[in-house]
Amino acid sequence: MSISRRKFLGWMGAAGLSTAFGSPVHAASNKHFKGYPESLGVLYDSVLCIGCRNCETGCNKVNELPQPNQPFDDLTVLSKKRRTNTNAFTVVNRYDHSKGTKGPLFNKIQCNHCLEPACASVCFVRAFTKTKEGPVVYDSSVCVGCRYCMIACPFEIPTFEYDKVLTPRIRKCTMCHPRVIAGKLPGCVEACPTEALTFGKRKDTIKIARERIRKYPGRYIDHVYGENEMGGTSWLYISGVPFKELGMREDLGVSPASELTAGALGSVPMVVGLWPVILTGIYAMSKRKEKIAKEDQEQAVFIALKNANAEAESKLSEALSKAQKEKGAAITREVKKALEEAQKTQEEEGS
């Protein structure tokens, strides 16, 4: 994050005060948004995918990511059922056909760039934005690291840089947004040797998918995954087997993520906005308690010292009084002794 922790706390304090006084805070929207009509997308054809991992290589290169522990030409990793992480924005996994009569199946995993992203709908600082081009992009400069996006994403895509203590970020595929706005292909699409990835306007990629399904009914199942799932995504899939055999969820329905998250997590901004006020109150109460405790302690010390001084003065007075009495008694004894000696001397002289 580019903001300091102190600035963050100050900002959150301001957010809390604004909430307390009734100013609106950015929250999950419950308005249905069907995406930008001319937005772009990618069609992934799992039938044409050969599991070469060239897409992983291309993604790694254009995003300047660290090299993996196992090189990209090591295809043994395909059977490990990997998921994306902070250093790998896309991965390809291999699956076995349920009937065991066909060859291996492959599936490419990355951010699906939902038309109404769950990550954006729960992010109260708007760190995620659905762009008009199609990609869902992330702004680390405003992210506060709450990780609600990770919880909300139905595809379990966003990952967090736990190893970076001071400046952790959420990491995920951006559909190579900088390249897209520059008129270039996403890195994975450019690297694919079998044209399993098709990039273009989303509405056109849907037409291409439908045409392939119509032309080869025995090769594909009649479903374009992502056309309607979770309100639609910019990343689309076609397959020759049920998508659950590729490790994909088939229970998502067609409701946009924002409709599901707005009610459950729409109050998050208010809670997060109020927590500085609550913590400030707790802190003030704690400091007040400490102040009272300190005052009580000082008062107790003062009383103890006062009592000690009074007791010392009393003892000193008693000592002085006793010394005075003892002195008076000593003088009386000496006077009496002197008188007795004088009387004795007189008696001796008279005899």
Side-chain angles (χ1 to χ4, degrees), residues 33 36 39-40 111-121 123 127-139 149 153 157-158 170-178 180 232-235:
F33 171 68
Y36 298 99
S39 66
L40 303 169
C111 175
N112 288 324
H113 300 278
C114 304
L115 300 186
E116 295 190 65
C119 55
S121 69
C123 183
F128 290 93
T129 303
K130 177 68 174 180
T131 65
K132 65 180 181 180
E133 293 82 15
V136 176
V137 297
Y138 163 76
D139 184 358
C149 54
C153 178
I157 293 300
I170 293 292
R171 303 287 276 166
K172 73 172 193 67
C173 160
T174 65
M175 203 195 288
C176 294
H177 185 248
V180 168
T233 63
S234 294
W235 208 280

Side-chain angles (χ1 to χ4, degrees), residues 71-113:
F72 289 111
D73 58 2
D74 183 355
L75 302 184
T76 62
V77 301
L78 295 175
S79 60
K80 294 182 179 180
K81 305 302 180 287
R82 299 169 297 154
R83 58 161 294 179
T84 59
N85 57 56
T86 56
N87 295 325
F89 294 168
T90 187
V91 295
V92 176
N93 291 331
R94 184 179 65 222
Y95 299 85
D96 294 323
H97 196 281
S98 58
K99 296 181 180 180
T101 57
K102 297 182 180 181
L105 307 171
F106 300 100
N107 187 30
K108 180 180 181 298
I109 302 170
Q110 72 294 301
C111 175
N112 288 324
H113 300 278

Side-chain angles (χ1 to χ4, degrees), residues 108 112 167 225 268 322 340:
K108 180 180 181 298
N112 288 324
T167 58
Y225 192 100
V268 167
K322 183 178 180 181
E340 289 178 349

Side-chain angles (χ1 to χ4, degrees), residues 281-314:
I282 294 173
Y283 175 77
M285 292 173 63
S286 176
K287 297 302 290 184
R288 174 62 179 165
K289 184 177 180 180
E290 291 177 4
K291 182 179 179 181
I292 294 173
K294 184 178 180 181
E295 290 176 352
D296 289 345
Q297 184 179 21
E298 291 175 350
Q299 182 68 17
V301 170
F302 173 77
I303 293 174
L305 289 175
K306 184 177 180 180
N307 292 338
N309 289 336
E311 184 177 358
E313 290 177 1
S314 177

Side-chain angles (χ1 to χ4, degrees), residues 67-248:
Q67 290 295 307
N69 295 329
Q70 294 176 270
F72 289 111
D73 58 2
D74 183 355
L75 302 184
T76 62
V77 301
L78 295 175
S79 60
K80 294 182 179 180
K81 305 302 180 287
R82 299 169 297 154
R83 58 161 294 179
T84 59
N85 57 56
T86 56
N87 295 325
F89 294 168
T90 187
V91 295
V92 176
N93 291 331
R94 184 179 65 222
Y95 299 85
D96 294 323
H97 196 281
S98 58
K99 296 181 180 180
T101 57
K102 297 182 180 181
L105 307 171
F106 300 100
N107 187 30
K108 180 180 181 298
I109 302 170
Q110 72 294 301
C111 175
N112 288 324
H113 300 278
C114 304
L115 300 186
E116 295 190 65
C119 55
S121 69
V122 300
C123 183
F124 60 91
V125 297
R126 293 186 176 179
F128 290 93
T129 303
K130 177 68 174 180
T131 65
K132 65 180 181 180
E133 293 82 15
V136 176
V137 297
Y138 163 76
D139 184 358
S140 63
S141 67
V142 299
C143 178
V144 298
C146 69
R147 285 163 282 173
Y148 286 122
C149 54
M150 296 174 63
I151 299 173
C153 178
F155 303 106
E156 300 180 349
I157 293 300
T159 58
F160 188 70
E161 291 179 320
Y162 290 100
D163 57 331
K164 295 186 178 181
V165 178
L166 298 179
T167 58
R169 297 170 296 174
I170 293 292
R171 303 287 276 166
K172 73 172 193 67
C173 160
T174 65
M175 203 195 288
C176 294
H177 185 248
R179 290 173 59 87
V180 168
I181 60 178
K184 299 179 181 180
L185 292 173
C188 59
V189 177
E190 187 175 66
C192 182
T194 63
E195 297 185 357
L197 296 170
T198 303
F199 178 74
K201 290 184 179 181
R202 181 178 184 271
K203 60 183 181 181
D204 292 338
T205 58
I206 292 176
K207 290 180 181 179
I208 293 172
R210 287 293 177 196
E211 178 59 21
R212 288 185 189 177
I213 293 172
R214 184 198 66 78
K215 190 174 181 180
Y216 304 104
R219 182 184 299 179
Y220 299 96
I221 62 171
D222 189 12
H223 183 68
V224 180
Y225 192 100
E227 181 178 5
N228 297 305
E229 276 78 7
M230 298 301 298
T233 63
S234 294
W235 208 280
L236 305 163
Y237 301 78
I238 54 177
S239 169
V241 298
F243 289 99
K244 64 181 180 181
E245 294 191 24
L246 298 178
M248 301 173 68

